[in-house]
Amino acid sequence: MVQNLDVECAKLGQRLAEGDGVDEELVNDALTVLEEQGVYAFFLYLKARGREGANHVSTTCAEFLRSVPQGSPLLDGGDVFNSLQRLSQNLDDLLFARDLLRQALVYGRYQVKARGASSGGRR
């Protein structure tokens, strides 16, 4: 069975947006760090930010990378930072993880915007 990773990214984006404390600013900041500094810095930023929303994003993204692609996940179990160091041994996999997270965060940003618009919040 073929896994549609774009759909998986969309589902991740929805899960990210549903987390308590996850707002557009957090998603935008995390996306900026990911794009400018990379996957390791992304997780480090979320850990340093340390609030409920950041913890949700970090945990959910790590779980995602432990499940995709099917049969050969990008991250192994255990500490996320040790897993990321192992992931960085393969540049193709590292860039693939970055691309998947970027797509999911873009979807998450739109989900947060849609949530705010439907609840009468600011856009």
Side-chain angles (χ1 to χ4, degrees), residues 21-31 45-46 49 53-54 57:
V22 176
D23 59 13
E24 193 173 348
E25 178 185 3
L26 171 63
V27 175
N28 284 336
D29 290 349
L31 183 57
Y45 166 77
L46 292 170
R49 185 136 178 185
V57 171

Side-chain angles (χ1 to χ4, degrees), residues 68-86:
V68 295
Q70 286 178 343
S72 182
L74 293 167
L75 285 187
D76 53 22
D79 178 69
V80 69
F81 293 103
N82 290 333
S83 296
L84 288 168
Q85 288 176 355
R86 285 187 287 279

Side-chain angles (χ1 to χ4, degrees), residues 12-28 53 56-57 106-123:
L12 174 59
Q14 185 173 5
R15 285 194 309 272
L16 293 176
E18 292 170 349
D20 290 336
V22 176
D23 59 13
E24 193 173 348
E25 178 185 3
L26 171 63
V27 175
N28 284 336
H56 170 75
V57 171
V106 168
Y107 284 131
R109 177 174 51 195
Y110 292 134
Q111 289 282 342
V112 169
K113 283 181 181 239
R115 179 184 66 198
S118 67
S119 66
R122 267 186 5 191
R123 286 189 265 181

